[in-house]
Amino acid sequence: MSMNNQGRPTRPAEDSAASPAFATSTGNRALMLEEALIFEIGDANRTGVDLPEAPKAASRLGGLERKSAIGLPGLSEQETVRHYTRLSRQNYAIDLGLFPLGSCTMKHNPRLNEKMARLPGFADIHPLQPIHTVQGALAVIDELGDWLIKLTGMAGVAMSPKAGAHGELCGILAIRSALEARGDKRSVILVPESAHGTNPATAAFVGYQVEDIPAKPDGRVDVDALKARLGPDVAGVMITNPNTCGLFERDLKIISDAVHEAGGFVYCDGANFNAVVGKVRPGDLGVDAMHINLHKTFSTPHGGGGPGSGPVVFSDALAPFAPLPFVERSEDGKLALIEEESMEDHHASSFGRMVAFHGQMGMFTRALTYILSHGADGLLQVAEDAVLNANYVLRSLEDVLDAPFGAAGPCMHEALFSDNGLADGFSTLDIAKGLIDEGFHPMTVYFPLVVHGAMLVEPTETESKAALNQFIGAMRSVALRAKQGDPSLHSAPHFAPRRRLDETLAARKPVLVWTEPVAEQAEAAE
């Protein structure tokens, strides 16, 4: 099978020559279906349905009417269903197999969560409904927030942030507000090099200068370097724990005490809370603010860029500055949203509002269902099994792949490898592409940046030993081929709908708009 200039599989020339009636090849091979673009299936001059002529009526668009046809292709219902079903078969999903993306917590999503999120009163409500008609929904938000406070040992929570990075923004804004309230203008946020990349981006977005803190050889924060940098210009530190190397920051309490003594605050990136939920309360370690990715720890689908949810928990020192709105229960048991109108009486120090409404209702419902299904003992087992699975992967592969922090003690939720030791000319990308041919989505690659050619694997707690063994076997096979210099890895994947792309060109010059084919087109494929 050859490839055309879009990287698509095509039939050999003799196929069409032998059968002139079928000169236009589909490119299909068995169950690997080659799917045309929707614009190539239909055209704008026909429609898949018959509709009567629209009656003439006066326009209410105030001069904003379209001046030309929209240009979308007309498809029948059958053509539409088949098109999107065929596309879905080219996706990899957690419902197909282990999804090893590190720092992503791609765990199984219990169907009970989905059932609860679709119940009337949760799935069909509107954020502008009268408060007395959404008491059940507000109760879900209130109870989930109470669980998050208990699990983290904190004093308050903001439920409205929509994702992890949005939660980081919420926490840093609260820190800035607390400093301003005491007349303390500080300009620097310290970020260890083992932190998530969104941490320095968030601090810079708020207007702080960002300074890096190095790691020690064991992959953890250099506490002495951090203490040496503390001073009256440091607003706080943003630390990821467990960090992006999959390691627990054992000195976090020492770090927190030093930062507090210097007048700053501690923000903890809680994206990796799945590894410590039920085991460690960040509040006990001196954390002042931490976002929690509900779509990670508490199992809600987060593919395709969303939806997400990143509630932020706060210490006593920062809780007064948390954003609006929030749910409050009155003495008669009724729930209400505290917003700008009642801010002065209930939450005068709030830094204000981050979002139009009050959060992701579907994510709240799924997360609370997950928590209630597991209970306190079940959440503890979640962390223990996640750590057990990650260490099983680490120790099962460290003889064929370099594990830069393998001697630093047990890892937490994810196992980190590098491309050190591969044959000359072979890299992490070859292993990632080879893994596709083995039937798996690749792990996270080239992250964290502190490790050259990083490969980050997070199996989560929901994978069985049999599933882990299957993945480990695939990784061992590809790693051995890379160590032995198997040239076929350079052109992998061979069994995917598309061959290997020029990823730099595909990222910098993506073709996002369909146009009629012309003789010369930019090529992103080999």
Side-chain angles (χ1 to χ4, degrees):
M1 183 164 58
S2 61
M3 304 298 295
N4 68 10
N5 65 347
Q6 276 81 40
R8 300 178 180 177
T10 59
R11 294 179 186 272
E14 60 269 25
D15 285 6
S16 57
S19 183
F22 300 97
T24 301
S25 169
T26 65
N28 293 341
R29 276 295 178 270
L31 293 179
M32 186 193 297
L33 302 180
E34 172 57 36
E35 184 60 14
L37 298 176
I38 196 169
F39 293 93
E40 297 168 329
I41 299 173
D43 63 69
N45 297 319
R46 65 183 178 89
T47 178
V49 295
D50 292 324
L51 296 173
E53 189 72 22
K56 299 295 182 181
S59 173
R60 294 180 293 173
L61 298 179
L64 298 177
E65 301 90 346
R66 289 189 61 86
K67 300 299 189 291
S68 60
I70 194 170
L72 293 178
L75 274 69
S76 68
E77 178 178 297
Q78 183 187 56
E79 288 173 320
T80 304
V81 169
R82 285 180 175 175
H83 173 67
Y84 286 105
T85 301
R86 286 192 293 258
L87 285 180
S88 74
R89 295 175 64 176
Q90 297 186 8
N91 269 347
Y92 190 86
I94 189 63
D95 289 341
L96 292 174
L98 186 151
F99 214 126
L101 284 175
S103 202
C104 288
T105 318
M106 302 293 287
K107 63 169 72 176
H108 170 69
N109 299 288
R111 293 307 183 260
L112 175 63
N113 300 6
E114 301 304 309
K115 183 177 181 180
M116 295 299 102
R118 286 164 172 74
L119 287 175
F122 295 141
D124 58 355
I125 57 176
H126 191 280
L128 294 180
Q129 279 184 228
I131 293 297
H132 74 273
T133 68
V134 291
Q135 288 292 296
L138 295 183
V140 167
I141 298 175
D142 185 60
E143 185 171 351
L144 175 59
D146 186 61
W147 266 96
L148 298 180
I149 289 171
K150 287 184 170 66
L151 287 169
T152 57
M154 302 289 263
V157 62
M159 299 297 291
S160 59
K162 304 291 182 139
H166 201 215
E168 292 174 23
L169 178 62
C170 174
I172 297 302
L173 288 175
I175 288 173
R176 187 178 69 178
S177 296
L179 290 170
E180 289 175 348
R182 72 187 193 201
D184 193 353
K185 185 174 178 59
R186 297 183 176 220
S187 59
V188 175
I189 292 286
L190 305 180
V191 181
E193 63 181 22
S194 59
H196 280 155
T198 49
N199 292 180
T202 297
F205 183 79
V206 177
Y208 285 106
Q209 299 173 36
V210 178
E211 295 187 17
D212 294 335
I213 299 298
K216 295 183 295 185
D218 69 353
R220 296 178 174 89
V221 176
D222 186 329
V223 178
D224 291 336
L226 186 145
K227 286 182 176 180
R229 179 55 191 87
L230 291 174
D233 61 337
V234 175
V237 60
M238 296 183 77
I239 188 168
T240 302
N241 194 26
N243 67 29
T244 55
C245 299
L247 303 171
F248 188 77
E249 294 287 358
R250 296 177 295 218
D251 296 325
L252 182 54
K253 185 63 168 67
I254 297 172
I255 292 171
S256 298
D257 290 345
V259 173
H260 291 155
E261 185 177 350
F265 293 94
V266 177
Y267 185 92
C268 182
D269 186 311
N272 299 335
F273 192 50
N274 197 63
V276 296
V277 60
K279 299 287 289 186
V280 175
R281 300 194 312 173
D284 297 337
L285 301 179
V287 170
D288 292 298
M290 183 179 86
H291 76 265
I292 303 171
N293 297 69
L294 298 185
H295 50 287
K296 293 186 178 186
T297 302
F298 302 114
S299 180
T300 55
H302 63 298
S309 187
V312 179
V313 287
F314 294 100
S315 66
D316 284 317
L318 287 186
F321 304 94
L324 301 169
F326 65 92
V327 177
E328 184 175 86
R329 188 181 295 273
S330 62
E331 292 182 1
D332 62 2
K334 292 183 179 179
L335 295 162
L337 280 171
I338 304 303
E339 307 208 44
E340 284 84 351
E341 296 79 4
S342 52
M343 172 180 167
E344 291 302 321
D345 296 331
H346 295 265
H347 201 50
S349 298
S350 170
F351 70 72
R353 176 182 289 269
M354 294 191 68
V355 297
F357 298 109
H358 32 275
Q360 302 277 29
M361 194 66 230
M363 309 302 270
F364 295 156
T365 309
R366 291 179 178 94
L368 183 59
T369 302
Y370 181 88
I371 290 172
L372 296 178
S373 299
H374 283 73
D377 57 338
L379 292 176
L380 176 65
Q381 187 177 350
V382 162
E384 291 175 343
D385 288 352
V387 171
L388 177 65
N389 282 355
N391 279 276
Y392 182 62
V393 170
L394 177 66
R395 301 309 172 193
S396 297
L397 291 174
E398 62 181 349
D399 63 320
V400 293
L401 283 172
D402 175 57
F405 302 115
C411 65
M412 298 301 291
H413 56 301
E414 55 197 0
L416 178 60
F417 304 98
S418 82
D419 60 3
N420 184 35
L422 302 184
D424 288 345
F426 287 79
S427 68
T428 288
L429 194 62
D430 294 314
I431 292 181
K433 299 302 184 183
L435 198 58
I436 295 174
D437 283 338
E438 299 290 335
F440 289 99
H441 191 286
M443 58 277 154
T444 294
V445 296
Y446 301 111
F447 176 80
L449 300 179
V450 295
V451 170
H452 184 276
M455 291 172 268
L456 197 58
V457 178
E458 182 179 3
T460 83
E461 76 284 354
T462 59
E463 298 301 333
S464 67
K465 186 177 181 182
L468 294 177
N469 285 340
Q470 186 179 31
F471 173 75
I472 289 166
M475 281 287 287
R476 291 186 67 86
S477 172
V478 177
L480 288 171
R481 288 168 60 196
K483 292 172 75 74
Q484 295 164 2
D486 180 354
S488 68
L489 274 182
H490 286 320
S491 55
H494 303 99
F495 304 112
R498 293 291 180 272
R499 298 291 293 275
R500 189 184 300 201
L501 302 179
D502 180 331
E503 298 198 2
T504 301
L505 183 61
R508 294 180 180 175
K509 297 182 178 180
V511 180
L512 302 178
V513 178
W514 183 83
T515 57
E516 290 286 350
V518 293
E520 296 182 3
Q521 296 179 336
E523 297 181 12
E526 292 181 351

